[in-house]
Amino acid sequence: QKEVEQNSGPLSVPEGAIASLNCTYSDRVSQSFFWYRQYSGKSPELIMSIYSNGDKEDGRFTAQLNKASQYVSLLIRDSQPSDSATYLCAVTYGGSQGNLIFGKGTKLSVKP
Amino acid sequence: SQTIHQWPATLVQPVGSPLSLECTVEGTSNPNLYWYRQAAGRGLQLLFYSVGIGQISSEVPQNLSASRPQDRQFILSSKKLLLSDSGFYLCAWSVMRFNYGYTFGSGTRLTVV
């Protein structure tokens, strides 16, 4: 069974704080990992990708991957109200050309 | 640059009516194409994907079908809609050979009444 698990939230953080979003997956051979942001009523937008263990930083966003624990996370530093959205974790199955399986998403609310 | 177009944006259809949603990609060749559905309170469900003209793989058996008549055109169809077909339909594309992530179209919100 292909599974990507996320806490549905809502996760509420004050403006300026660090938001931490977590995701676990069930397929040990997954090679590509992605975070998407989806505003209410809109389509998902790719914000981060990570392919190897460790951290990857892009602006206020840091993606972390631990393949041994089958765990991927997204940190958002200096959270802004505009970051309020649902964040979807996506994982490939079936190798590097595999299709993406999405988690159900974590709803983040950043309070001014 | 690559762009993906999807239409219509919203659609209200009666039960038993047919459906046709269209998606086109510009600025790339031989893309992988996907149809996803996102029902209220649920995650993204992969419905169909295509790696080339006329090549369609179905992930979930249902009353929907897909076709790829041209390299950058992907169509989702149904002969008779069910209430359970309501949802947010998303088309996406990716490059072939390696998955750098999908780019989604703006989506079609379908309500079956």
PDB file of all heavy atoms in Angstrom, chain A residues 61-74:
ATOM      1  N   PHE A  61      12.405  28.775   3.423  1.00  0.00           N
ATOM      2  CA  PHE A  61      12.007  27.371   3.458  1.00  0.00           C
ATOM      3  C   PHE A  61      13.222  26.442   3.561  1.00  0.00           C
ATOM      4  O   PHE A  61      14.229  26.655   2.895  1.00  0.00           O
ATOM      5  CB  PHE A  61      11.215  27.004   2.196  1.00  0.00           C
ATOM      6  CG  PHE A  61       9.935  27.773   2.026  1.00  0.00           C
ATOM      7  CD1 PHE A  61       9.886  28.901   1.215  1.00  0.00           C
ATOM      8  CD2 PHE A  61       8.790  27.385   2.677  1.00  0.00           C
ATOM      9  CE1 PHE A  61       8.708  29.615   1.063  1.00  0.00           C
ATOM     10  CE2 PHE A  61       7.603  28.087   2.522  1.00  0.00           C
ATOM     11  CZ  PHE A  61       7.565  29.212   1.716  1.00  0.00           C
ATOM     12  N   THR A  62      13.099  25.427   4.418  1.00  0.00           N
ATOM     13  CA  THR A  62      14.103  24.374   4.509  1.00  0.00           C
ATOM     14  C   THR A  62      13.401  23.027   4.468  1.00  0.00           C
ATOM     15  O   THR A  62      12.508  22.769   5.278  1.00  0.00           O
ATOM     16  CB  THR A  62      14.926  24.482   5.806  1.00  0.00           C
ATOM     17  OG1 THR A  62      15.607  25.730   5.835  1.00  0.00           O
ATOM     18  CG2 THR A  62      15.938  23.341   5.887  1.00  0.00           C
ATOM     19  N   ALA A  63      13.797  22.201   3.525  1.00  0.00           N
ATOM     20  CA  ALA A  63      13.292  20.834   3.464  1.00  0.00           C
ATOM     21  C   ALA A  63      14.336  19.911   4.091  1.00  0.00           C
ATOM     22  O   ALA A  63      15.544  20.098   3.899  1.00  0.00           O
ATOM     23  CB  ALA A  63      13.012  20.415   2.030  1.00  0.00           C
ATOM     24  N   GLN A  64      13.875  18.925   4.854  1.00  0.00           N
ATOM     25  CA  GLN A  64      14.762  17.973   5.509  1.00  0.00           C
ATOM     26  C   GLN A  64      14.325  16.564   5.131  1.00  0.00           C
ATOM     27  O   GLN A  64      13.126  16.260   5.158  1.00  0.00           O
ATOM     28  CB  GLN A  64      14.704  18.154   7.031  1.00  0.00           C
ATOM     29  CG  GLN A  64      15.142  19.528   7.501  1.00  0.00           C
ATOM     30  CD  GLN A  64      14.931  19.714   9.001  1.00  0.00           C
ATOM     31  OE1 GLN A  64      13.902  19.332   9.544  1.00  0.00           O
ATOM     32  NE2 GLN A  64      15.913  20.323   9.661  1.00  0.00           N
ATOM     33  N   LEU A  65      15.298  15.716   4.802  1.00  0.00           N
ATOM     34  CA  LEU A  65      14.996  14.348   4.401  1.00  0.00           C
ATOM     35  C   LEU A  65      15.820  13.357   5.192  1.00  0.00           C
ATOM     36  O   LEU A  65      17.035  13.528   5.336  1.00  0.00           O
ATOM     37  CB  LEU A  65      15.266  14.170   2.904  1.00  0.00           C
ATOM     38  CG  LEU A  65      15.107  12.766   2.320  1.00  0.00           C
ATOM     39  CD1 LEU A  65      13.675  12.255   2.488  1.00  0.00           C
ATOM     40  CD2 LEU A  65      15.535  12.737   0.858  1.00  0.00           C
ATOM     41  N   ASN A  66      15.158  12.333   5.688  1.00  0.00           N
ATOM     42  CA  ASN A  66      15.821  11.234   6.379  1.00  0.00           C
ATOM     43  C   ASN A  66      15.255   9.940   5.806  1.00  0.00           C
ATOM     44  O   ASN A  66      14.179   9.489   6.200  1.00  0.00           O
ATOM     45  CB  ASN A  66      15.582  11.315   7.891  1.00  0.00           C
ATOM     46  CG  ASN A  66      16.326  10.237   8.661  1.00  0.00           C
ATOM     47  OD1 ASN A  66      16.507   9.122   8.175  1.00  0.00           O
ATOM     48  ND2 ASN A  66      16.759  10.566   9.864  1.00  0.00           N
ATOM     49  N   LYS A  67      15.968   9.354   4.842  1.00  0.00           N
ATOM     50  CA  LYS A  67      15.464   8.159   4.164  1.00  0.00           C
ATOM     51  C   LYS A  67      15.427   6.951   5.089  1.00  0.00           C
ATOM     52  O   LYS A  67      14.563   6.094   4.952  1.00  0.00           O
ATOM     53  CB  LYS A  67      16.282   7.864   2.921  1.00  0.00           C
ATOM     54  CG  LYS A  67      16.086   8.868   1.794  1.00  0.00           C
ATOM     55  CD  LYS A  67      16.810   8.432   0.534  1.00  0.00           C
ATOM     56  CE  LYS A  67      16.552   9.398  -0.603  1.00  0.00           C
ATOM     57  NZ  LYS A  67      17.227   8.977  -1.861  1.00  0.00           N
ATOM     58  N   ALA A  68      16.357   6.868   6.027  1.00  0.00           N
ATOM     59  CA  ALA A  68      16.368   5.725   6.945  1.00  0.00           C
ATOM     60  C   ALA A  68      15.098   5.702   7.789  1.00  0.00           C
ATOM     61  O   ALA A  68      14.540   4.637   8.069  1.00  0.00           O
ATOM     62  CB  ALA A  68      17.603   5.779   7.836  1.00  0.00           C
ATOM     63  N   SER A  69      14.639   6.866   8.183  1.00  0.00           N
ATOM     64  CA  SER A  69      13.420   6.969   8.981  1.00  0.00           C
ATOM     65  C   SER A  69      12.180   7.169   8.124  1.00  0.00           C
ATOM     66  O   SER A  69      11.064   7.237   8.665  1.00  0.00           O
ATOM     67  CB  SER A  69      13.547   8.129   9.970  1.00  0.00           C
ATOM     68  OG  SER A  69      14.635   7.930  10.857  1.00  0.00           O
ATOM     69  N   GLN A  70      12.373   7.304   6.805  1.00  0.00           N
ATOM     70  CA  GLN A  70      11.270   7.521   5.869  1.00  0.00           C
ATOM     71  C   GLN A  70      10.462   8.740   6.277  1.00  0.00           C
ATOM     72  O   GLN A  70       9.220   8.683   6.427  1.00  0.00           O
ATOM     73  CB  GLN A  70      10.411   6.256   5.758  1.00  0.00           C
ATOM     74  CG  GLN A  70      11.186   5.100   5.153  1.00  0.00           C
ATOM     75  CD  GLN A  70      10.415   3.803   5.158  1.00  0.00           C
ATOM     76  OE1 GLN A  70      10.846   2.806   5.721  1.00  0.00           O
ATOM     77  NE2 GLN A  70       9.263   3.803   4.531  1.00  0.00           N
ATOM     78  N   TYR A  71      11.185   9.827   6.432  1.00  0.00           N
ATOM     79  CA  TYR A  71      10.628  11.042   7.011  1.00  0.00           C
ATOM     80  C   TYR A  71      11.131  12.248   6.243  1.00  0.00           C
ATOM     81  O   TYR A  71      12.318  12.344   5.925  1.00  0.00           O
ATOM     82  CB  TYR A  71      11.090  11.101   8.474  1.00  0.00           C
ATOM     83  CG  TYR A  71      10.696  12.317   9.252  1.00  0.00           C
ATOM     84  CD1 TYR A  71       9.507  12.353   9.968  1.00  0.00           C
ATOM     85  CD2 TYR A  71      11.546  13.424   9.316  1.00  0.00           C
ATOM     86  CE1 TYR A  71       9.165  13.451  10.720  1.00  0.00           C
ATOM     87  CE2 TYR A  71      11.201  14.535  10.069  1.00  0.00           C
ATOM     88  CZ  TYR A  71      10.023  14.535  10.776  1.00  0.00           C
ATOM     89  OH  TYR A  71       9.668  15.629  11.527  1.00  0.00           O
ATOM     90  N   VAL A  72      10.200  13.150   5.924  1.00  0.00           N
ATOM     91  CA  VAL A  72      10.582  14.396   5.273  1.00  0.00           C
ATOM     92  C   VAL A  72       9.823  15.532   5.942  1.00  0.00           C
ATOM     93  O   VAL A  72       8.666  15.348   6.355  1.00  0.00           O
ATOM     94  CB  VAL A  72      10.303  14.324   3.746  1.00  0.00           C
ATOM     95  CG1 VAL A  72       8.847  14.067   3.464  1.00  0.00           C
ATOM     96  CG2 VAL A  72      10.783  15.573   3.042  1.00  0.00           C
ATOM     97  N   SER A  73      10.474  16.674   6.100  1.00  0.00           N
ATOM     98  CA  SER A  73       9.833  17.784   6.785  1.00  0.00           C
ATOM     99  C   SER A  73      10.083  19.082   6.034  1.00  0.00           C
ATOM    100  O   SER A  73      10.973  19.180   5.191  1.00  0.00           O
ATOM    101  CB  SER A  73      10.332  17.896   8.220  1.00  0.00           C
ATOM    102  OG  SER A  73      11.700  18.224   8.233  1.00  0.00           O
ATOM    103  N   LEU A  74       9.280  20.070   6.373  1.00  0.00           N
ATOM    104  CA  LEU A  74       9.418  21.412   5.810  1.00  0.00           C
ATOM    105  C   LEU A  74       9.369  22.400   6.958  1.00  0.00           C
ATOM    106  O   LEU A  74       8.435  22.385   7.760  1.00  0.00           O
ATOM    107  CB  LEU A  74       8.288  21.712   4.819  1.00  0.00           C
ATOM    108  CG  LEU A  74       8.306  23.112   4.195  1.00  0.00           C
ATOM    109  CD1 LEU A  74       9.477  23.238   3.215  1.00  0.00           C
ATOM    110  CD2 LEU A  74       6.986  23.410   3.470  1.00  0.00           C
TER     111      LEU A  74
END
